[in-house]
Amino acid sequence: MTQFSDEEKSIIGMYNTADRVWLIVKIKEAIPYIEDTDLKDTAADIVSKLVGMTDKEFADLEV
């Protein structure tokens, strides 16, 4: 099962997390506007993890 760091969970928590695909789209839309390199990398890592999981796995997350 995919594990998210506390920082990643905090970022995910800023969004409506009911829909995995919607979350992927919204984070991808935000990445070009993130100036902090570490935060931009973290957002990209979140997207990568979300793409690699199923909707069921996402629904079972405790974020």
Side-chain angles (χ1 to χ4, degrees):
M1 178 174 222
T2 302
Q3 296 292 321
F4 290 96
S5 69
D6 290 338
E7 181 181 18
E8 291 170 334
K9 288 178 183 179
S10 293
I11 293 169
I12 292 169
M14 295 184 326
Y15 293 89
N16 172 0
T17 58
D19 185 287
R20 181 181 63 90
V21 175
W22 182 91
L23 182 58
I24 291 168
V25 169
K26 291 302 177 185
I27 293 175
K28 279 185 169 182
E29 287 176 352
I31 288 174
Y33 302 101
I34 300 172
E35 294 181 9
D36 181 89
T37 304
D38 290 336
L39 185 56
K40 187 178 279 199
D41 290 344
T42 300
D45 288 344
I46 292 169
V47 169
S48 179
K49 289 178 182 181
L50 290 170
V51 167
M53 66 188 337
T54 66
D55 288 335
K56 169 83 169 94
E57 289 171 327
F58 180 73
D60 291 343
L61 283 179
E62 291 185 21
V63 179

